[in-house]
């Protein structure tokens, strides 16, 4: 059985170039030499590319000359076949269809080759089942993404698209372009959480970063894609039950200590029943595996993405992700993890929020508000992150309950696509694991 191919389409593409040299611009953008199945066509196309790159005219005589120089005339079918191809058709109107057929067959052949390699690797003893599955999924996903790879766009086309976006925004003033977090001041700064971004949310222990991340998860699931947005939460420190209990307390307005003690009255049960129905309809997926690697996270998220159930990934927390193997020190391990998270965000085209611990050096200062240097192994994390947020709660250092205010500061230490050096203000209700915007924010220039 022959491998997938469309020989007539390959001939038509080459003939189109012979017919109109200007078409080579488009063909060169879309087709590689390896996309041609017939070896004769590969040699002819290689000669065409050489002439194109040298700004030379492409006709059967010049192509034949290049083939002679490379001593590949016979491999290209000889002068008779080159002339046959050059006279193959009399119009270029169906060029796009012919290119698409060539690409379609090329992708099928690549998939067959990858599948063959996957099969061979499966017989090897030096690879674990987990690594084998992850590498296999990655290889297949890479091919599937090729159809979605964007091409160069002309400025005029982009300007038209931007104009349409601006008109839509003008009609829907205040709407954000990314995922809505449910926090209006944060959405103003970020214009919503954007695809491919790595967002670091960092704080010292007990500042409320897990609760804040769960608030974002709940809000994203409820406020995007008409309540059908997919949220993946990897909690390496808390169990699924603990996470769900926090969300129930938040949604039902029932204090967490009541859920723990079981002292619930009839009103509490009514609120819980109502909230249960809301939460059951949300696409929030938990994974509380105690020890996971980046490969584990990526494989699970890739599956959700393929099922159209992934808009955002939340990881609590970065330093608990298990390194792969081979790194000699913690800095290298964290560098691998943060780089892996950024690559995953780009591959899956979703924002990734990774919680991070701050170093103990914060506690030795009089001013305990965090700065970028306080990030553990901060070099790689700071470099890979698009946004770095610090959560600070003065109440943590206040021991007199009567003097606690519930005030929380969220400082935007880094924002690659917008304003930074800004502090946002919230109220934290620990009983309900809930954050409330205290002060609205208007970015400069609005």
């Amino acid at each position: 059985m022959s491998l997938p191919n469309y020989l007539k389409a390959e001939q038509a593409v080459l003939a189109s170039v012979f017919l109109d040299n200007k078409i080579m611009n488009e063909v060169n953008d879309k087709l590689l030499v390896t996309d041609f199945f017939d070896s004769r066509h590969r040699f002819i196309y290689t000669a065409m590319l050489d002439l194109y790159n040298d700004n030379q005219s492409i006709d059967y005589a010049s192509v034949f000359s290049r083939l002679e120089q490379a001593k590949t005339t016979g491999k290209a079918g000889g002068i008779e076949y080159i002339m046959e191809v050059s006279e193959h058709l009399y119009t270029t109107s169906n060029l796009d269809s012919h290119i698409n057929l060539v690409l379609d067959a090329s992708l099928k052949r690549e998939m067959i080759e990858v599948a063959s390699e996957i099969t061979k690797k499966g017989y090897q003893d030096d690879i674990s089942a987990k690594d084998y599955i992850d590498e296999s999924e990655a290889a297949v996903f890479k091919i599937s993404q090729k159809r979605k790879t964007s091409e160069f766009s002309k400025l005029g086309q982009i300007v038209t698209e931007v104009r349409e976006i601006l008109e839509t925004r003008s009609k829907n003033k205040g709407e954000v372009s990314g995922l809505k977090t449910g926090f209006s001041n944060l959405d103003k700064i970020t214009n919503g959480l954007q695809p491919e971004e790595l967002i670091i949310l960092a704080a010292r222990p007990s500042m409320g970063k897990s609760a804040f991340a769960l608030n974002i998860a709940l809000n994203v699931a409820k406020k995007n894609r008409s309540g059908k947005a997919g949220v993946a939460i990897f909690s390496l420190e808390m169990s699924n039950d603990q996470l769900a209990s926090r969300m129930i307390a938040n949604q039902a307005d029932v204090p967490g200590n009541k859920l723990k003690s079981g002292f619930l009255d009839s009103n509490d049960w009514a609120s819980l029943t109502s909230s249960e129905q809301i939460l059951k309809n949300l696409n929030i997926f938990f994974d509380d595996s105690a020890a996971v690697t980046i490969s584990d996270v990526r494989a699970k998220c890739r599956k959700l993405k393929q099922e159209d159930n992934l808009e955002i990934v939340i990881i609590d927390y970065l330093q608990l992700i298990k390194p792969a193997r081979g790194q000699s020190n913690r800095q290298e391990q964290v560098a691998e993890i943060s780089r892996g998270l950024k690559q995953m965000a780009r591959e899956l085209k979703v924002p990734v929020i990774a919680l991070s611990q701050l170093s103990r050096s914060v506690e030795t200062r009089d001013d305990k508000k965090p700065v970028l240097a306080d990030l553990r192994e901060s070099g790689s994390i700071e470099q890979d992150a698009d946004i770095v947020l610090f959560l600070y709660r003065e109440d943590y250092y206040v021991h007199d309950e009567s003097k606690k205010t519930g005030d929380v500061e969220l400082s935007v230490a880094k924002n690659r696509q917008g304003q930074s050096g800004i502090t946002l203000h919230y109220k934290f209700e620990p009983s309900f694991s809930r954050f409330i915007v205290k002060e609205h924010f208007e970015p400069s220039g609005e």
Side-chain angles (χ1 to χ4, degrees), residues 269-324:
W269 280 112
S271 296
L272 289 172
T273 301
S274 175
S275 300
E276 181 183 354
Q277 295 306 313
I278 294 173
L279 294 175
K280 279 184 175 180
N281 289 326
L282 299 178
N283 288 329
I284 299 179
F285 304 91
F286 293 112
D287 187 299
D288 61 359
S289 303
V292 296
T293 65
I294 283 293
S295 295
D296 297 327
V297 173
R298 187 168 54 241
K300 292 175 181 180
C301 289
R302 193 182 289 127
K303 184 174 185 294
L304 287 177
K305 182 68 174 181
Q306 290 170 338
E307 295 169 352
D308 196 26
N309 271 326
L310 188 68
E311 268 67 47
I312 188 171
V313 180
I314 298 174
I315 297 172
D316 185 8
Y317 59 92
L318 183 149
Q319 281 84 2
L320 288 180
I321 295 178
K322 189 172 69 173

Side-chain angles (χ1 to χ4, degrees), residues 183 206-213 215 246 250 391-396 404-409 425-438:
F183 297 121
S206 301
M207 286 291 169
K209 60 182 181 294
S210 294
F212 192 79
N215 276 216
R246 287 193 175 195
N250 184 314
L391 204 62
Y392 175 74
R393 188 161 59 94
E394 182 68 33
D395 281 358
Y396 176 75
K404 292 182 184 266
T405 64
D407 290 346
V408 178
E409 294 181 0
H425 300 276
Y426 301 87
K427 283 283 187 181
F428 180 48
E429 299 177 340
S431 295
F432 307 105
S433 295
R434 184 164 56 210
F435 285 80
I436 300 171
V437 174
K438 183 181 177 183

Side-chain angles (χ1 to χ4, degrees), residues 84-103:
E84 178 186 333
V85 170
S86 68
E87 298 170 353
H88 185 73
L89 78 169
Y90 302 97
T91 177
T92 62
S93 59
N94 295 320
L95 178 65
D96 286 340
S97 297
H98 294 141
I99 289 176
N100 286 335
L101 285 172
V102 173
L103 282 174

Side-chain angles (χ1 to χ4, degrees), residues 208-269:
K209 60 182 181 294
S210 294
F212 192 79
L214 285 180
N215 276 216
I216 290 178
L218 196 55
N219 291 335
V220 166
K222 289 161 61 176
K223 297 178 180 294
N224 297 274
R225 284 189 63 179
S226 302
K228 296 299 181 182
V231 180
I233 301 175
F234 292 84
S235 178
L236 313 181
E237 198 170 38
M238 289 191 291
S239 69
N240 293 343
D241 290 347
Q242 290 173 314
L243 297 172
S245 294
R246 287 193 175 195
M247 287 190 171
I248 291 170
N250 184 314
Q251 183 67 36
D253 210 26
V254 174
N257 60 348
K258 278 194 169 187
L259 296 178
K260 289 180 181 179
S261 67
F263 287 101
L264 301 166
D265 57 30
S266 58
N267 290 331
D268 294 330
W269 280 112

Side-chain angles (χ1 to χ4, degrees), residues 62-81:
S62 60
V63 168
F64 180 72
S65 176
R66 284 298 171 108
L67 290 169
E68 279 195 319
Q69 291 174 20
K71 298 181 179 180
T72 55
T73 307
K75 293 179 180 179
I79 185 64
E80 296 83 4
Y81 186 72

Side-chain angles (χ1 to χ4, degrees), residues 401-434:
E401 290 293 329
S402 65
K403 294 182 179 179
K404 292 182 184 266
T405 64
D407 290 346
V408 178
E409 294 181 0
L410 183 74
S411 59
V412 184
K414 178 182 179 181
N415 186 8
R416 191 166 277 157
Q417 302 297 330
Q419 291 177 264
S420 59
I422 296 162
T423 300
L424 307 177
H425 300 276
Y426 301 87
K427 283 283 187 181
F428 180 48
E429 299 177 340
S431 295
F432 307 105
S433 295
R434 184 164 56 210

